[in-house]
Amino acid sequence: MKGIIFKVLLEMVEDKFGYEMVDTIIEESKLPNDGAYTTVGTYPHTEIVTLVSNLSKHSNIEVAKLLEVFGEHAFSIFAEAYKQMFEGQNNAFKFLSSVEGTIHVEVLKLYPEAQLPTLVTSSMNNNKMVLIYKSTRAMSDFAKGLIVGCLKHFNEEASIEDLPLKEDQTEVQFTLTIKK
Amino acid sequence: MSKEIELLKRKFERERNARKEAEQLLEIKSLELYQSNLQLQKANENKEVIIQQRTDELRASETHYQSLVESISDLICKTTLDGKITFVNKVTTQTLGYSIDEIIGRHIFDFIAPEYKQMAHNFIADQLKYQNCISYIEFPLLTKQGDEKWLGNNIQFIDSKCLNCEKKYKKLAGKIKTIKGENCNFTEVVIVARDISRQKESEEINLRQSIQLEKFYNQQVIISEVALELNTLNSFPERVNLILKKIGKHINVSRVYIFENSKDNMETSNTFEWCNKGIHQQIKDLQNIPYVLIPSWKDKLINDRIIYSENINELPDDIKDILQPQGIHSIIVLPLFITNQFYGFIGFDENSADRKWDKSEIELLRTISNIVSNAFERRRIEKNLKLSEQENSAIIDSIPDYIFIIDNNNWITSHKGGTIEVFPFLKKNYENTDLYKILPEDIAQKLEIALNECRSNGHFQFEYECVREHLPSSFEVRMIRMNKYEIISIVRDVTSIKENEEQLKLAKEIAENANRTKSEFLANVSHEIRTPMNAILGFSEILLDKVEDKIYQGYLKTILTSGRTLLSLINDILDLSKIEAGKLEVEFEPINYIDIIKDIEQVFAPKIQKKQLSFEIITAPNLPAYIFMDEVRFYQILFNLVGNAIKFTKKGYIKLETNFELTSDPDKINLIIEIEDTGIGIPKDQVGLIFEAFTQQSGQSNRQFEGTGLGLTITKKLIQKMNGTINATSQVGKGSIFRVDFKDIQLAEIKSNNDKSNDLNDRQIIFEPATIMIVDDIDFNIKVLKTMIEYEQFTFLEAYSGESAIEMLETETPDIIFMDIRMPGMSGISATEIIKDKMNSNTPVIAFTASAMQNQLDLIKNLFDGFLRKPITKKTLTQTLQDHLKYSIGKPLENENEKDHKYDFKEDENCINVAPIVLEKIRKELLQEWENISGNLVIFEIEDFANKLEKISTEYDCKVFIDYSQNLRESLNSFDVELIETSLFEFKYIFDAIEKKHKKQI
């Protein structure tokens, strides 16, 4: 898991709940690096799961919701940090459909060791888009948050309906319908 | 506050650590960057090397290409529009054999073979005229050496535009003959030519081959025509003639013919012939030609499978002699075989001068001869089929049954036989119409049900009756499902069969009734004979006792033995009659099997000894002690079989072996008894007969082997009656084995009624004084009964008829009445009815009869208080008396010190005193004899023994033995084997007792 994700998460927690919360969940999570995350580093995926579940415990907000909010927030950070990725992109559907073909390809160029989820567009028209998320990490809620963030970024409104294709959430289908 | 500082400290610490890590990562990344730069530099250097290499390769390939161009194998020649040669390549000079100088400047036509010059000129002129920029033509050039070289010439008219002409280049790539130029201004001609001499040669070969192929094709055509023609056997002769004509014309011969052999293959006749124009027919002359005249002909056809000659002079003389007069020059003859049998031949004659036969022609004719053979074979099969079909239909027509075929609609589609006779009510035009429309409803319904059953089961059978010509008739209908769609229904008139059956049934019943009546009659007659026999035997014995004259004694003994034989004969007949009349009852009760075997052993011991045989008895050691059996009948079976075995065995042994098998029911066993002897044996063809009534093995001398011939019949019937089977296996001169199988014999846990230990207790019963009335028309019977009821305390009343009994009862009141059933005048039954009903008497009345018919028994049981069967045994008699009279039980006999109620040892001091002498004398003179007669039970021998004993004991005044002798003699009168046995057994007891007492005294 890329360090930027951890940074974004911890910053978001600090913004919303204060540094005390950050400190609590880091302490509780018994992390090997004691929470010293850097954007360019790579860290085990389990650490983010531990952090989020501890956050959930202390904030009384369920993990899924936290992940979704986190995803939404992360998208805004990414959009700011990787502006070049958004060149020539003018709507959410187009951007989302290019994630697998361009963004993930670019990410892999930078970080060949990165283990990325796949987000395949299974069907798309002007009003409706069906995306299939696949990842052994089962972080579809985070993905959903990213999609929400993306829609917000392009100032679009759409309903998102998620349908697990596998019980363990390693495969989830998102159906996006533009609201008019 | 310190908490917040702590928190900040930790935050700062984390930030610092993160920064450190980031710096580290950056350092690693920049190192990686530096290394990739180095690699990039190296890669650039490599690229330069590669470019140099590529350039070199390109140069090499150009050189290569040039050499390829040089070595092109086509001739290239350029001319002006009027044909002057301006350029030729190396190949051209080489091909033509001229130097370049010899060619350049000359006219192209100079090199074309003279006969093709005009053609080539015209062609090229035409192309120019029609503006064809590319065209193709073949012609030969002449080399310097004067040889022709065939060239395929691609002639191109060239314009300056040609280089950019897409059409031209496109067309040149493909295979074209001509393309038209588009307003081109031709300036010169380019000829690209290819040496096609080889190709030309192969074309010639192809031509030859195609001629050959055509020939083959034509042969194929003729073969298929022949095959097609002979495919159908309709108008066979016409077709054969036609094919002969076709073949004849095709191979162009003078004559084609077929010969067929006579059935014995000795002669052959011309049956089909075709003659070419101008050839005379010979079919009429060539009939019934004996093969003897042309032995080589048949020989060659069978062995070589062909007669072939282009010149008949080469052929054997016998063939030559017959062919020459016909003007034949050459010939092919092929045999016809039907199912591998030489059937005839097909021949092809050529009368014109020696003809060469092509190999393929011979093969063609061989194929055709095979086709013809096949056709003839099929014709024969078809003929036979037709014949057998005719035969079959003749057979079917002669069957008296009526046959219908009925389809799935229940419509009769076809039929055979006179339907009106079967269904007199059947309406006309019944075919292909609904059943209900052609038949009365009830029969249609019956038929419909039957058809449905048949469809589901595959077959069905039923019978129906109807009135035909005012007479009731019966029909049997059998239905068989032939296939999915049809049912065959066979209807047979069974009226007469039914009638016969009825009559047979009636006849059988009559016969059975007659047989039953006969059996009953026999049983009755036997009974009637048995009664007087009782008197004859009884009084003969008494007389034998009284008569002293040896001669008369001999007569009496003869009367006795004849009487006993007669009695046993009558008993046998009575048994058989009873069995056949179905009146023999078997009563199963627990019996001790071992005891019966012992009895049998004892009974036959004297005979075995006399004949010096050995008697082996093997009984399965764990055989259950008590089984349910009819004791009397079971004994009779064993007695008969063992008796028979002894009777027919002169030396060797008799073996009685008993085994058993467990069954699925733990309370039942299968009993297997085998009686083996080493006797005369039974021939194989007579083993089956020995169980039939009145048959002894044929040739079996009755003098040698006495008997009624009923023994085995009765035995078998008894065994069957008791659910058993008997089988005999035998070998003449070696012996026989009779095997008896009783299935599912019930085991008995309880002790048998027949326990012998009770027997002696009879003697201890002491009856109170009573009056006994005996009613019997026969004086002797009364006497016998009185003798058997030996107690002194009884008073007897004797009546000789029912009437006198009733009269007597007016004044007397007996305690018990014994009533004979069969008496002249009033029968025992009527008398008893009067006594019971009218006189209202309470006196028990005991039926006392020799009659054994079961139906009477029921009546007797209801009316009487008891029942005694003649001859009466002591045991049953005592039991009956015990049932109806008062009595007390004395002390048991076993107590040897106590007084025996019959034999008083204590008071007989004299006997004990004289014991040593008496016992010694008896031991010497009689003990052995006693042992013999104990097993034997021959009455006059026992009597003899009793007399001798009495004589000795009287001499010494030994009362115990005198009494015993008299008692023994009396017991003989009763014909009661049991009583006699008991009495005999007592002898040893008394003997031992006296000996003991004597020793005590000393």
Side-chain angles (χ1 to χ4, degrees):
Chain A
M1 181 68 72
K2 295 316 296 175
I4 188 165
I5 306 285
F6 289 88
K7 289 293 274 181
V8 169
L9 173 70
L10 294 177
E11 274 167 22
M12 185 185 83
V13 175
E14 193 174 351
D15 284 352
K16 300 253 161 98
F17 302 99
Y19 194 77
E20 204 178 338
M21 180 65 101
V22 176
D23 186 61
T24 311
I25 62 172
I26 286 173
E27 287 298 303
E28 248 182 47
S29 300
K30 300 214 162 50
L31 302 163
N33 61 356
D34 193 31
Y37 292 106
T38 158
T39 323
V40 290
T42 303
Y43 307 92
H45 155 257
T46 47
E47 291 181 13
I48 202 135
V49 177
T50 318
L51 286 167
V52 172
S53 59
N54 281 327
L55 177 62
S56 165
K57 199 169 84 191
H58 290 281
S59 64
N60 282 329
I61 299 169
E62 55 185 291
V63 173
K65 187 67 200 165
L66 282 172
L67 281 173
E68 194 183 320
V69 172
F70 171 37
E72 189 186 332
H73 178 68
F75 191 90
S76 63
I77 304 292
F78 293 161
E80 192 62 34
Y82 304 104
K83 272 186 184 149
Q84 70 276 15
M85 295 281 192
F86 291 83
E87 274 172 21
Q89 302 281 14
N90 49 18
N91 72 61
F93 280 15
K94 200 172 168 198
F95 178 81
L96 286 170
S97 68
S98 70
V99 167
E100 198 54 39
T102 52
I103 296 173
H104 279 170
V105 172
E106 293 299 321
V107 173
L108 278 174
K109 275 185 199 164
L110 277 170
Y111 307 105
E113 77 281 16
Q115 287 177 299
L116 300 169
T118 63
L119 192 70
V120 179
T121 311
S122 89
S123 74
M124 183 173 89
N125 61 31
N126 285 341
N127 301 317
K128 197 172 167 186
M129 177 178 206
V130 179
L131 288 163
I132 301 203
Y133 162 86
K134 273 189 206 173
S135 170
T136 52
R137 287 170 181 163
M139 286 183 65
S140 62
D141 295 314
F142 182 64
K144 191 179 177 185
L146 286 171
I147 294 169
V148 172
C150 175
L151 287 165
K152 261 194 187 156
H153 175 83
F154 288 104
N155 273 329
E156 284 170 25
E157 260 188 83
S159 66
I160 305 170
E161 193 188 317
D162 50 345
L163 173 74
L165 299 179
K166 285 193 177 164
E167 273 182 34
D168 59 1
Q169 304 267 335
T170 55
E171 221 176 301
V172 177
Q173 175 183 291
F174 294 111
T175 308
L176 283 61
T177 316
I178 296 284
K179 285 182 186 165
K180 284 193 172 168
Chain B
M1 194 64 189
S2 64
K3 196 186 163 198
E4 267 175 22
I5 292 171
E6 201 61 35
L7 201 63
L8 283 171
K9 255 188 191 169
R10 280 212 289 277
K11 186 180 179 185
F12 177 70
E13 186 69 20
R14 281 174 196 134
E15 297 285 346
R16 201 170 59 182
N17 285 341
R19 202 183 66 233
K20 268 186 195 164
E21 200 196 336
E23 281 162 1
Q24 226 172 348
L25 281 169
L26 274 175
E27 209 158 307
I28 294 166
K29 285 281 166 193
S30 57
L31 195 67
E32 278 173 8
L33 199 60
Y34 168 74
Q35 272 161 354
S36 359
N37 269 335
L38 279 181
Q39 276 175 353
L40 208 57
Q41 220 171 330
K42 246 184 210 165
N44 272 338
E45 283 165 16
N46 281 344
K47 246 177 211 163
E48 276 170 29
V49 175
I50 289 166
I51 286 165
Q52 186 58 46
Q53 276 174 356
R54 294 253 168 97
T55 315
D56 290 348
E57 277 167 18
L58 199 60
R59 270 189 205 133
S61 103
E62 267 171 15
T63 319
H64 181 69
Y65 175 71
Q66 264 176 333
S67 71
L68 266 177
V69 174
E70 284 290 311
S71 66
I72 202 158
S73 64
D74 285 348
L75 290 78
I76 299 169
C77 169
K78 260 189 202 175
T79 71
T80 58
L81 279 183
D82 53 4
K84 257 188 197 154
I85 297 166
T86 56
F87 169 83
V88 286
N89 66 351
K90 227 178 193 173
V91 182
T92 313
T93 58
Q94 280 165 359
T95 308
L96 296 178
Y98 296 102
S99 65
I100 290 181
D101 298 338
E102 285 173 312
I103 298 174
I104 300 292
R106 290 185 61 184
H107 203 277
I108 182 78
F109 294 127
D110 293 348
F111 298 95
I112 295 177
E115 62 264 46
Y116 295 97
K117 253 183 205 169
Q118 192 59 46
M119 185 269 290
H121 179 267
N122 289 348
F123 178 80
I124 293 169
D126 278 353
Q127 302 314 309
L128 186 62
K129 190 170 147 194
Y130 297 120
Q131 281 265 317
N132 288 341
C133 69
I134 293 179
S135 55
Y136 180 85
I137 184 172
E138 290 174 1
F139 51 73
L141 292 186
L142 277 177
T143 67
K144 197 174 181 179
Q145 287 75 33
D147 297 333
E148 276 188 8
K149 271 257 192 282
W150 272 92
L151 295 175
N153 303 283
N154 189 314
I155 295 169
Q156 300 179 28
F157 290 92
I158 305 293
D159 184 358
S160 51
K161 291 192 290 188
C162 283
L163 273 176
N164 296 325
C165 177
E166 251 183 61
K167 185 174 164 192
K168 183 170 178 178
Y169 283 102
K170 240 185 229 169
K171 294 280 178 177
L172 272 176
K175 198 174 179 182
I176 40 95
K177 279 205 165 162
T178 312
I179 61 163
K180 230 175 159 67
E182 285 162 353
N183 299 320
C184 294
N185 185 19
F186 299 131
T187 51
E188 58 180 342
V189 184
V190 172
I191 300 170
V192 181
R194 184 165 288 175
D195 190 341
I196 56 163
S197 312
R198 290 246 172 90
Q199 201 182 320
K200 277 280 163 193
E201 269 170 37
S202 70
E203 264 172 23
E204 257 170 55
I205 293 167
N206 281 344
L207 189 67
R208 276 205 299 279
Q209 280 175 348
S210 72
I211 290 168
Q212 194 71 27
L213 271 176
E214 197 177 336
K215 196 170 164 190
F216 284 152
Y217 170 74
N218 286 337
Q219 289 186 352
Q220 288 302 319
V221 169
I222 192 101
I223 288 169
S224 31
E225 274 178 0
V226 168
L228 205 66
E229 206 60 59
L230 293 180
N231 208 15
T232 41
L233 296 174
N234 292 342
S235 42
F236 187 74
E238 288 80 2
R239 286 173 191 275
V240 175
N241 279 327
L242 193 67
I243 61 140
L244 292 190
K245 183 178 168 185
K246 275 188 177 168
I247 302 162
K249 280 196 165 169
H250 175 79
I251 53 168
N252 192 21
V253 286
S254 305
R255 187 185 293 113
V256 185
Y257 45 84
I258 288 171
F259 276 66
E260 288 176 71
N261 296 343
S262 60
K263 272 189 180 167
D264 56 4
N265 269 345
M266 299 302 283
E267 293 178 350
T268 188
S269 299
N270 192 182
T271 48
F272 298 95
E273 184 185 32
W274 172 82
C275 294
N276 215 333
K277 272 179 194 162
I279 306 294
H280 287 295
Q281 288 213 327
Q282 295 186 324
I283 192 163
K284 279 178 191 160
D285 302 332
L286 299 172
Q287 296 299 318
N288 304 323
I289 296 166
Y291 275 117
V292 193
L293 293 182
I294 38 170
S296 321
W297 188 276
K298 192 173 174 182
D299 227 47
K300 271 181 166 296
L301 285 178
I302 290 173
N303 296 324
D304 304 350
R305 301 268 161 135
I306 190 166
I307 294 171
Y308 163 66
S309 177
E310 289 180 355
N311 181 359
I312 59 157
N313 290 324
E314 303 160 355
L315 292 171
D317 286 345
D318 56 333
I319 300 180
K320 202 165 74 185
D321 289 347
I322 199 165
L323 294 182
Q324 241 164 7
Q326 299 177 46
I328 295 164
H329 274 269
S330 67
I331 192 166
I332 293 181
V333 183
L334 295 156
L336 300 177
F337 283 93
I338 290 186
T339 50
N340 296 327
Q341 286 247 310
F342 179 48
Y343 175 78
F345 51 87
I346 181 167
F348 309 89
D349 291 349
E350 181 56 59
N351 287 10
S352 61
D354 302 347
R355 163 168 184 159
K356 288 267 179 205
W357 295 91
D358 193 323
K359 211 176 183 182
S360 72
E361 277 174 339
I362 296 171
E363 284 314 309
L364 169 72
L365 296 180
R366 217 191 275 281
T367 309
I368 284 170
S369 78
N370 282 339
I371 294 171
V372 172
S373 280
N374 277 337
F376 274 82
E377 184 163 0
R378 276 192 292 119
R379 182 178 66 153
R380 194 154 88 172
I381 291 167
E382 191 151 290
K383 264 188 188 170
N384 290 343
L385 263 178
K386 262 186 192 155
L387 215 66
S388 76
E389 204 178 283
Q390 279 168 2
E391 278 171 10
N392 282 342
S393 70
I395 290 168
I396 287 171
D397 286 341
S398 65
I399 295 173
D401 295 347
Y402 309 98
I403 300 168
F404 299 91
I405 308 282
I406 300 168
D407 71 2
N408 273 349
N409 298 323
N410 288 351
W411 292 358
I412 296 170
T413 54
S414 64
H415 71 91
K416 189 236 93 176
T419 52
I420 297 305
E421 284 114 273
V422 189
F423 297 114
F425 32 75
L426 192 66
K427 287 161 194 163
K428 274 182 187 171
N429 304 324
Y430 54 83
E431 280 188 26
N432 295 327
T433 313
D434 194 274
L435 281 180
Y436 285 92
K437 286 183 183 156
I438 54 167
L439 290 169
E441 197 177 338
D442 56 330
I443 292 187
Q445 213 165 15
K446 213 168 182 180
L447 210 59
E448 195 176 28
I449 292 166
L451 285 166
N452 289 339
E453 282 290 322
C454 179
R455 272 185 200 109
S456 54
N457 297 333
H459 55 86
F460 191 71
Q461 192 166 342
F462 70 100
E463 284 179 10
Y464 75 90
E465 273 149 24
C466 66
V467 177
R468 186 180 55 181
E469 290 164 4
H470 311 295
L471 290 170
S473 304
S474 302
F475 294 96
E476 180 190 87
V477 185
R478 272 171 294 151
M479 289 181 168
I480 298 148
R481 191 180 60 210
M482 290 205 297
N483 49 47
K484 272 186 190 169
Y485 315 103
E486 287 170 312
I487 284 174
I488 186 164
S489 166
I490 300 158
V491 182
R492 178 172 291 179
D493 183 347
V494 290
T495 313
S496 57
I497 296 172
K498 282 263 159 185
E499 272 169 20
N500 287 345
E501 259 175 30
E502 283 298 322
Q503 276 170 5
L504 269 177
K505 223 191 232 171
L506 211 66
K508 195 178 167 234
E509 268 169 28
I510 291 168
E512 277 172 357
N513 271 337
N515 196 37
R516 233 187 334 266
T517 315
K518 181 207 80 183
S519 296
E520 271 175 37
F521 170 74
L522 267 176
N524 290 341
V525 166
S526 304
H527 169 267
E528 294 303 336
I529 296 170
R530 229 151 63 124
T531 313
M533 281 309 294
N534 223 9
I536 293 169
L537 290 173
F539 288 118
S540 299
E541 279 187 40
I542 292 165
L543 271 181
L544 191 63
D545 220 18
K546 308 274 179 201
V547 171
E548 279 172 11
D549 190 322
K550 289 275 175 200
I551 295 172
Y552 295 140
Q553 275 188 349
Y555 292 164
L556 279 168
K557 277 184 185 169
T558 311
I559 292 173
L560 266 176
T561 31
S562 306
R564 284 191 189 120
T565 311
L566 187 58
L567 192 62
S568 78
L569 178 63
I570 291 161
N571 281 341
D572 279 356
I573 292 173
L574 189 59
D575 273 350
L576 190 65
S577 309
K578 270 199 232 161
I579 293 166
E580 287 192 340
K583 292 193 171 164
L584 182 102
E585 299 295 319
V586 286
E587 278 174 38
F588 289 96
E589 53 184 5
I591 62 158
N592 186 326
Y593 182 80
I594 309 287
D595 281 354
I596 290 185
I597 296 285
K598 274 185 191 158
D599 283 352
I600 291 285
E601 186 180 14
Q602 218 168 27
V603 165
F604 286 108
K607 271 193 185 166
I608 291 279
Q609 209 171 14
K610 200 171 162 192
K611 292 184 101 170
Q612 290 188 318
L613 303 170
S614 76
F615 193 9
E616 218 177 311
I617 293 178
I618 304 167
T619 307
N622 48 349
L623 185 79
Y626 289 97
I627 55 176
F628 270 92
M629 271 286 173
D630 183 312
E631 182 171 11
V632 177
R633 297 306 174 184
F634 186 65
Y635 184 87
Q636 193 178 357
I637 289 163
L638 287 184
F639 187 90
N640 277 347
L641 289 173
V642 174
N644 244 21
I646 295 170
K647 188 159 90 181
F648 294 110
T649 305
K650 268 188 184 164
K651 58 178 181 180
Y653 63 87
I654 313 294
K655 192 160 89 182
L656 170 58
E657 188 171 349
T658 315
N659 283 302
F660 70 98
E661 288 169 350
L662 297 174
T663 64
S664 51
D665 184 342
D667 290 335
K668 284 177 179 173
I669 56 163
N670 293 336
L671 193 65
I672 302 144
I673 302 163
E674 279 187 327
I675 295 101
E676 187 183 337
D677 65 53
T678 52
I680 58 166
I682 309 153
K684 251 189 188 164
D685 56 333
Q686 294 190 18
V687 171
L689 300 174
I690 55 170
F691 295 112
E692 278 176 29
F694 303 107
T695 33
Q696 276 189 336
Q697 189 187 319
S698 74
Q700 175 182 311
S701 154
N702 265 334
R703 274 182 204 157
Q704 198 182 347
F705 306 109
E706 58 193 13
T708 55
L710 288 175
L712 280 177
T713 314
I714 293 167
T715 305
K716 186 177 182 175
K717 298 215 164 169
L718 284 176
I719 290 168
Q720 284 172 342
K721 189 88 191 170
M722 294 159 82
N723 294 328
T725 55
I726 179 163
N727 288 300
T729 50
S730 187
Q731 233 178 325
V732 173
K734 291 204 168 167
S736 314
I737 301 171
F738 286 81
R739 179 185 158 123
V740 183
D741 279 283
F742 289 109
K743 296 260 178 225
D744 297 325
I745 297 290
Q746 183 81 38
L747 298 179
E749 283 303 319
I750 50 159
K751 279 207 150 194
S752 167
N753 295 338
N754 272 5
D755 208 320
K756 283 198 169 172
S757 65
N758 289 332
D759 277 3
L760 290 175
N761 291 345
D762 293 354
R763 308 271 174 219
Q764 298 149 241
I765 294 161
I766 301 156
F767 287 98
E768 289 177 10
T771 308
I772 296 170
M773 178 185 246
I774 303 170
V775 188
D776 200 318
D777 58 320
I778 296 160
D779 181 29
F780 172 75
N781 284 339
I782 297 179
K783 273 187 190 159
V784 168
L785 195 60
K786 272 170 76 179
T787 319
M788 290 178 85
I789 309 170
E790 56 193 352
Y791 301 99
E792 286 168 5
Q793 54 273 59
F794 292 142
T795 317
F796 291 102
L797 297 169
E798 294 172 20
Y800 295 95
S801 67
E803 290 90 341
S804 65
I806 287 164
E807 203 182 308
M808 219 180 270
L809 283 171
E810 307 265 320
T811 51
E812 302 284 344
T813 316
D815 296 296
I816 189 165
I817 303 167
F818 287 94
M819 179 74 74
D820 184 28
I821 299 298
R822 290 183 181 216
M823 286 183 290
M826 186 185 283
S827 77
I829 292 172
S830 310
T832 309
E833 275 168 358
I834 292 169
I835 295 165
K836 294 256 168 197
D837 299 339
K838 293 200 174 157
M839 304 178 81
N840 222 358
S841 164
N842 288 328
T843 311
V845 184
I846 308 299
F848 167 53
T849 180
S851 170
M853 284 299 175
Q854 188 70 37
N855 52 359
Q856 261 186 335
L857 269 184
D858 292 339
L859 183 65
I860 290 167
K861 275 180 185 164
N862 285 332
L863 180 63
F864 290 82
D865 302 288
F867 169 63
L868 280 178
R869 199 193 293 262
K870 289 182 203 169
I872 296 159
T873 65
K874 175 89 184 166
K875 190 178 141 198
T876 51
L877 179 63
T878 311
Q879 189 60 52
T880 309
L881 291 173
Q882 269 179 278
D883 287 347
H884 300 286
L885 298 179
K886 287 177 181 169
Y887 66 96
S888 62
I889 296 182
K891 288 173 185 168
L893 187 69
E894 276 78 7
N895 194 340
E896 54 157 334
N897 290 325
E898 296 310 312
K899 176 191 166 224
D900 183 83
H901 72 278
K902 217 154 96 190
Y903 308 112
D904 192 343
F905 297 103
K906 268 193 181 165
E907 283 173 25
D908 196 2
E909 298 255 336
N910 181 46
C911 200
I912 292 159
N913 291 337
V914 294
I917 313 158
V918 176
L919 292 181
E920 188 52 30
K921 198 159 175 128
I922 289 171
R923 192 177 282 127
K924 259 188 189 167
E925 292 176 19
L926 291 175
L927 206 56
Q928 183 59 46
E929 198 178 330
W930 175 79
E931 274 171 19
N932 287 350
I933 58 172
S934 302
N936 198 340
L937 298 184
V938 178
I939 291 184
F940 57 86
E941 280 174 6
I942 298 171
E943 206 154 15
D944 206 31
F945 168 79
N947 292 342
K948 281 177 185 166
L949 183 65
E950 194 179 12
K951 206 178 163 193
I952 294 170
S953 45
T954 314
E955 200 178 317
Y956 295 95
D957 194 19
C958 182
K959 196 167 179 297
V960 179
F961 277 124
I962 297 169
D963 286 351
Y964 171 75
S965 307
Q966 283 165 355
N967 278 335
L968 182 59
R969 253 200 323 263
E970 270 171 28
S971 72
L972 286 176
N973 290 335
S974 72
F975 304 114
D976 181 353
V977 176
E978 230 169 295
L979 184 64
I980 296 167
E981 263 190 310
T982 314
S983 299
L984 265 176
F985 177 78
E986 275 172 356
F987 167 74
K988 190 82 172 83
Y989 168 75
I990 296 166
F991 186 91
D992 292 345
I994 293 174
E995 198 172 32
K996 240 180 185 174
K997 279 180 196 290
H998 172 69
K999 275 179 186 164
K1000 248 186 193 170
Q1001 222 175 38
I1002 294 167

